[in-house]
Amino acid sequence: MANQSSPSPLYCVSFNQDNSGFAISSKDSFKIFDSTTGRLCYERAAGAFVIVEMLYSSDLLAIVGAGEQASLSPRRLCLFKTTTGSPLREMNFLTSILAVRMNKKRLVVVLLEKTFVYDLNTLVMLDTIDTVPNPKGLAAFSPSPEGCYLAVPASATKGSVLVYNVMDLQSHSEIDAHRSPLAAIALSSNGMYIATASEQGTLIRVHLVSEATKSYSFRRGTYPSTIYSLSFGPSTQLPDILIATSSSGSVHAFSLRLAINQRSKRSSSFLGSVLPDSVSDALDPAHHHVLQNAVSSGIRSYAVIRKIDKHEGTSSPSQFTSLRATVSVITYNGYFQEYTLSINNKNESLWTLEREFNLFSITAR
C-alpha cells in the first residue's frame, strides 16, 4: 500500500496516448516521466497546473494553470515546447478549461458547457459542441485516426454519453448507459469500445461504439464507491482487460475479451436465447480480478495497462491460455506503483508488485 505521507498533493496526473510516458503537477512544478524506466525526463518549476497533456513522446505539451498565480489563469491554454522551454501558442477562453485532449491532428478543449475542436497543426477552430454542464470535465478520447471519437456526458441527471466523431466533425451516437450521472468514461485506443461508470460506482458497462445499444456489465461491488479511473488495455481489436480504480482503494481488472467470448458462446445456447437482456448482459463475476488495498481508502488514483503479453492456444487463435498485464498506478499523494497481473487458463489471477517509488523523490539525471 502506498504510504499516506507526501510533501505535496498532486494537482493532475495524465498518461500520454500510448501510456509510454506520464505527467504530474504539484503546487510548484510539473514533471514528465518515462513509464517504462521511471526516469524523470523533464521538469519545470513554474507554479501549479491543473492540466498537463502530452502528445505521445513529442516535445509538445498542452498546459493549463491552476489560477494560484495571475499568470497561470485556468482560462488560458498554453501549447508549450519542452525543447525550447517556451510557449508555442496561447489560447484564452471565457470560462475555466476543464479538460484537454490531443492526437496528431486534433486538439479538443472542454469547458463547462462547451467543447471546442481544433485542427492541431493550424489551430483553426473546426467545431463547437454545446454540452450539458460538465463540472468534472469528463471527456474520453480515442487517438486513432481511423476511430477518433470523443465521449462526453449527454445528461446531467442520468448516465448518458454523447459520442462524437472528431475527424468527421459530427455526432456519432448517444448511449444511455446508467440511471445516475456519470463518474468516469474511457474509450479504447482504437475507438471501438467505450466503458462507463456512474456515480453509484457499482456497475461498469462496456458498449461497442458502432452498436450503441449493445452493452456488457461488470459488477465492481455491492456498495457504492467513486470510480476514479477507467482504462482499456492496448489492442487492435477487443481489449483483453479493462482496469478501474475506486475510492475503496482497490484496483479492479476485468477480463473483457474472455468474458465476452464466453458469453457469446452461451447466448447461442437455448438458455442464453430465453434470458432477458437485463440478465444476460451481466458478465461472469469470475472475470473480475481485484487487488485489495492497493491504495489507502479515499486517496485518488489513476491506473493504466501499459502492456499485455499473452499465450493463446495452438488449435484456435481464440483459445485462451495465459496472460500477463503490466499495470501502472499513480496515486494523488505522489506514488507510482507497477504491478504484474497474471491470469492462467483456469482464470486464476495473481497480482505482483514489481516496483514502487515516491514521485517527489525522483530527480533528473
Side-chain angles (χ1 to χ4, degrees):
M1 180 186 296
N3 194 303
Q4 287 271 8
S5 63
S6 173
S8 175
L10 297 183
Y11 283 61
C12 74
V13 171
S14 65
F15 282 82
N16 66 358
Q17 291 80 358
D18 58 9
N19 297 331
S20 62
F22 63 90
I24 64 169
S25 172
S26 62
K27 66 179 181 180
D28 52 14
S29 67
F30 67 82
K31 301 179 181 182
I32 307 295
F33 291 85
D34 182 285
S35 299
T36 303
T37 64
R39 179 176 64 90
L40 176 60
C41 303
Y42 184 83
E43 179 178 10
R44 186 171 180 83
F49 292 83
V50 288
I51 294 173
V52 181
E53 285 289 321
M54 305 170 65
L55 181 62
Y56 291 93
S57 297
S58 74
D59 64 344
L60 182 65
L61 302 176
I63 56 178
V64 177
E68 296 181 359
Q69 300 166 253
S71 61
L72 299 178
S73 168
R75 299 188 299 274
R76 181 182 302 123
L77 170 64
C78 176
L79 296 177
F80 184 84
K81 300 278 282 186
T82 59
T83 49
T84 62
S86 59
L88 180 67
R89 175 80 177 269
E90 291 186 341
M91 305 166 68
N92 294 297
F93 296 86
L94 294 177
T95 61
S96 294
I97 301 164
L98 302 177
V100 176
R101 301 290 183 263
M102 290 189 291
N103 67 4
K104 294 176 181 178
K105 292 185 178 292
R106 295 288 187 262
L107 169 69
V108 177
V109 181
V110 179
L111 308 185
L112 179 63
E113 294 182 332
K114 288 186 182 294
T115 295
F116 299 98
V117 180
Y118 296 87
D119 182 292
L120 181 62
N121 297 307
T122 64
L123 296 183
V124 171
M125 184 190 296
L126 301 175
D127 200 6
T128 301
I129 308 166
D130 293 318
T131 66
V132 299
N134 183 14
K136 299 173 186 174
L138 293 179
F141 187 64
S142 54
S144 169
E146 293 76 27
C148 188
Y149 294 103
L150 171 72
V152 293
S155 170
T157 58
K158 62 179 182 177
S160 298
V161 190
L162 171 66
V163 180
Y164 177 89
N165 190 313
V166 181
M167 300 307 295
D168 295 342
L169 303 176
Q170 61 183 11
S171 176
H172 175 75
S173 62
E174 186 172 318
I175 299 171
D176 292 325
H178 303 271
R179 294 179 180 175
S180 54
L182 296 169
I185 320 171
L187 280 159
S188 60
S189 60
N190 56 19
M192 294 177 66
Y193 292 87
I194 183 170
T196 58
S198 74
E199 291 179 349
Q200 288 292 313
T202 53
L203 281 179
I204 294 171
R205 289 206 164 93
V206 176
H207 287 77
L208 188 63
V209 170
S210 62
E211 300 175 30
T213 58
K214 186 175 184 178
S215 71
Y216 306 94
S217 300
F218 288 102
R219 181 164 291 280
R220 179 213 55 83
T222 305
Y223 299 102
S225 183
T226 301
I227 301 299
Y228 290 138
S229 71
L230 289 171
S231 181
F232 287 97
S235 176
T236 56
Q237 294 296 319
L238 172 62
D240 293 278
I241 296 179
L242 173 68
I243 202 97
T245 61
S246 70
S247 57
S248 68
S250 300
V251 178
H252 305 264
F254 303 95
S255 299
L256 184 60
R257 189 171 72 125
L258 182 60
I260 290 178
N261 286 344
Q262 288 189 357
R263 206 206 79 167
S264 297
K265 292 177 182 178
R266 285 199 302 270
S267 65
S268 62
S269 67
F270 172 75
L271 179 61
S273 66
V274 299
L275 282 173
D277 290 342
S278 59
V279 175
S280 63
D281 78 344
L283 297 176
D284 192 334
H287 300 301
H288 180 193
H289 309 280
V290 187
L291 175 62
Q292 303 282 1
N293 302 319
V295 181
S296 296
S297 178
I299 297 294
R300 191 177 175 189
S301 57
Y302 183 13
V304 300
I305 303 163
R306 290 201 302 106
K307 183 174 67 170
I308 290 181
D309 297 314
K310 56 187 177 181
H311 301 280
E312 296 177 333
T314 55
S315 60
S316 170
S318 63
Q319 183 183 347
F320 177 80
T321 304
S322 63
L323 175 150
R324 285 170 57 90
T326 301
V327 179
S328 295
V329 182
I330 298 177
T331 68
Y332 274 68
N333 62 343
Y335 282 82
F336 176 92
Q337 302 171 328
E338 186 169 278
Y339 293 90
T340 296
L341 169 61
S342 302
I343 305 173
N344 65 18
N345 61 345
K346 297 179 181 179
N347 203 33
E348 299 167 333
S349 62
L350 174 67
W351 292 85
T352 305
L353 179 62
E354 303 292 351
R355 54 181 174 147
E356 178 181 20
F357 53 85
N358 187 324
L359 291 166
F360 294 101
S361 67
I362 305 298
T363 57
R365 297 173 185 173

